[in-house]
Amino acid sequence: MRTLIKNGTVVTASDTTKTDVLIDGEKIAAIGSGLATGTDQVIDAENRYVMPGAIDVHTHMELPFGGTFASDDFATGTAAAAWGGTTTIVDFAVQSYGQTLRQGLDQWHKKAQGKAHIDYGFHMIVREINDSILKEMDALVNEGIPSFKLFMAYPGVFMLDDAAIFRAMSRTAENGGLIMMHAENGGAIDVLVKRYLAEGKGDPINHGLTRPASMEGEATGRAIALARLFAETCPQYLYLSLDDLGRPGFEGAKYVCSPPLRPPSHHDELWKGLLQDDLQLVATDHCPFHFKGQKDLGRGDFSKIPNGLPGVEDRFSLIFHGGVNSGRITLNRFVELVATAPAKMFGLFPRKGTIAPGSDADIVIFNPRVERTLSAKTHHMNVDYSCYEGMTVKGLPEVVMQRGNVLVREGKFQGVKGAGQFLRRSPFHGVPASEPSPVGARS
Ligand code: URP
Ligand code: ZN
């Protein structure tokens, strides 16, 4: 199948050009004008941006948390992602306590296979470090899972101590892996949580108050001291705040995530960080829980509210709207933040993350003039609320393609369950072998 996308404005991380794109099978074959011979399908992209399919390198489909599971599985979550212009996710496989990394990974392959509508890779959440797990990390790097998530938070659930963290970092310095870090001081936070609950402070706002920015700063500093740093942020940290967590009644539970939302004054600083490359990419940390039946496990005790927010469908539009429409970032920086930098950082470039001959034909045709209102009534994520309910954004991913196949067009979903492929990612090559691997942190 050969498809010609005509008359669009092709936007990559470096260039903006009015030109055509020819797709042959699953790949981009050529970019230029006068390519129109022998095509099966022509898509007119006049007055639209033709962008690389976005990559979300931080999702948690079906994550077990707080006695329940994130409500999107690989079928619903990846369909929602495609609706929103995201054509690749990198999800977090979880090692269960007492299990090998391999067992956790096998479980995640089973969750995704036959269900994913879009391509996917895995990071591995490591919950224990010992000699045999360090060896397994080498094996995983070699089979396309070169990034490992460690937690400095959630004692008794995910948290590792500094010795384990340092051993894992040292190993990735040798094997080409990349450490990603959830940087919050879990021990100190736990003391605060117990103190607040003992004082009868059970409302959702206390989730934020017991996880102060200073404790995130402390852990981030510790992580930096142990390694070099890259950083991501997520739409919720750019749009939402402690005020949402403090909404009356139990409404704030919808906004419980970790690290928690901060005062609104942080927003401008984070946008500045994205502009100046102190923050290198935007992911979502998509980890939805229904308000009714899941978030309400923590009514009266905020520490029992499952942590996480929905976002995989909204990232593209929210960052375009708040970034490009508001003049904070350029079109090219937008593409870099949502597609190109994630692909480069996580071993998927140039197969993914750009529009170039030879790259996968993962393409979003984006209409920047369409205004729409975000709402749980119209979103496709399997969750009963939207964090952005009623917010108007300008810009719509009208056509979304993966490897030359149309997933979304004219408001209809044409994706195929199970068509998403597992992506073996390359090891990290960003630093000389003699230096420690960088560590990722969230903001
Ligand atoms: O609140 C969040 N972020 N939930 C998902 C688990 C994690 O901490 O990444
Ligand atoms: Zn996460």
Side-chain angles (χ1 to χ4, degrees):
M1 170 93 157
R2 280 158 68 87
T3 302
L4 185 70
I5 301 176
K6 268 181 84 72
N7 305 322
T9 299
V10 174
V11 186
T12 67
S14 54
D15 298 298
T16 307
T17 320
K18 189 153 172 50
T19 190
D20 301 341
V21 178
L22 180 65
I23 298 166
D24 193 356
E26 298 196 342
K27 301 283 181 191
I28 294 169
I31 300 171
S33 39
L35 304 170
T37 49
T39 49
D40 305 298
Q41 178 178 219
V42 176
I43 299 177
D44 187 6
E46 183 80 46
N47 294 324
R48 281 149 178 79
Y49 296 127
V50 179
M51 295 167 160
I55 301 170
D56 188 342
V57 293
H58 192 153
T59 65
H60 297 283
M61 303 304 170
E62 264 192 274
L63 178 78
F65 196 106
T68 185
F69 289 84
S71 56
D72 263 323
D73 65 8
F74 274 85
T76 60
T78 58
W83 275 105
T86 289
T87 51
T88 298
I89 58 167
V90 187
D91 200 79
F92 287 84
V94 183
Q95 172 198 22
S96 296
Y97 275 126
Q99 282 196 347
T100 60
L101 298 186
R102 169 82 43 212
Q103 285 167 314
L105 181 62
D106 286 350
Q107 222 186 337
W108 244 256
H109 273 299
K110 275 201 202 114
K111 282 178 193 274
Q113 260 163 21
K115 278 195 169 174
H117 291 89
I118 62 173
D119 291 353
Y120 58 93
F122 297 130
H123 316 282
M124 189 81 222
I125 291 180
V126 181
R127 298 169 79 174
E128 282 177 280
I129 289 289
N130 56 42
D131 288 348
S132 78
I133 285 166
L134 289 171
K135 275 200 200 107
E136 280 200 281
M137 287 171 74
D138 299 344
L140 260 57
V141 170
N142 290 328
E143 60 188 74
I145 292 120
S147 41
F148 303 91
K149 176 77 175 268
L150 313 182
F151 286 82
M152 297 166 117
Y154 308 128
V157 185
F158 288 124
M159 190 169 112
L160 293 177
D161 65 19
D162 288 354
I165 289 169
F166 191 58
R167 289 186 79 192
M169 284 180 174
S170 307
R171 194 66 169 216
T172 53
E174 287 162 17
N175 68 16
L178 178 77
I179 296 291
M180 307 167 73
M181 189 64 76
H182 181 119
E184 286 187 292
N185 186 322
I189 286 168
D190 213 33
V191 172
L192 287 178
V193 168
K194 291 199 174 97
R195 194 179 293 165
Y196 271 54
L197 289 174
E199 289 168 6
K201 297 176 182 163
D203 289 344
I205 182 72
N206 297 299
H207 172 77
L209 302 180
T210 54
R211 308 179 85 92
S214 58
M215 290 299 103
E216 188 175 349
E218 184 284 325
T220 306
R222 200 160 15 114
I224 291 170
L226 292 167
R228 287 175 37 194
L229 183 95
F230 85 82
E232 72 174 34
T233 191
C234 307
Q236 57 269 34
Y237 300 113
L238 297 161
Y239 275 92
L240 306 173
S241 76
L242 204 56
D243 297 346
D244 294 298
L245 204 51
R247 287 187 189 212
F250 191 60
E251 197 66 7
K254 293 178 177 172
Y255 302 92
V256 166
C257 62
S258 297
L261 303 173
R262 303 294 182 198
S265 58
H266 286 224
H267 295 164
D268 276 350
E269 288 306 310
L270 290 171
W271 281 110
K272 221 183 282 169
L274 288 171
L275 179 69
Q276 295 169 349
D277 210 35
D278 296 328
L279 297 165
Q280 289 85 21
L281 59 88
V282 181
T284 61
D285 200 1
H286 175 76
C287 190
F289 296 98
H290 293 295
F291 185 56
K292 292 208 179 78
Q294 292 193 295
K295 287 285 189 185
D296 53 14
L297 291 169
R299 225 174 247 282
D301 177 352
F302 67 89
S303 71
K304 295 201 168 63
I305 300 170
N307 286 207
L309 307 185
V312 75
E313 186 170 352
D314 298 328
R315 177 185 62 138
F316 198 102
S317 293
L318 286 169
I319 301 306
F320 188 90
H321 186 72
V324 180
N325 287 344
S326 70
R328 286 182 172 116
I329 56 172
T330 64
L331 262 177
N332 308 96
R333 179 64 176 157
F334 167 75
V335 168
E336 187 167 34
L337 288 169
V338 302
T340 314
K344 286 185 174 170
M345 185 82 74
F346 290 99
L348 292 167
F349 189 84
R351 178 173 171 191
K352 306 282 190 193
T354 194
I355 296 188
S359 294
D360 279 2
D362 293 358
I363 290 176
V364 175
I365 301 178
F366 189 78
N367 184 337
R369 287 172 310 283
V370 176
E371 275 200 348
R372 63 205 176 92
T373 303
L374 302 179
S375 172
K377 292 191 193 86
T378 46
H379 75 199
H380 303 85
M381 297 174 283
N382 179 33
V383 63
D384 61 1
Y385 74 97
S386 167
C387 293
Y388 308 99
E389 189 66 44
M391 185 184 294
T392 301
V393 291
K394 201 165 170 194
L396 174 73
E398 273 182 348
V399 180
V400 181
M401 301 177 81
Q402 168 116 84
R403 286 181 279 104
N405 299 308
V406 172
L407 303 182
V408 177
R409 190 174 180 183
E410 286 162 12
K412 293 202 177 62
F413 191 73
Q414 300 178 25
V416 176
K417 190 170 161 185
Q421 292 179 357
F422 171 65
L423 299 165
R424 288 175 68 105
R425 296 180 294 116
S426 310
F428 185 75
H429 295 302
V431 288
S434 58
E435 289 187 36
S437 287
V439 55
R442 266 208 313 260
S443 283

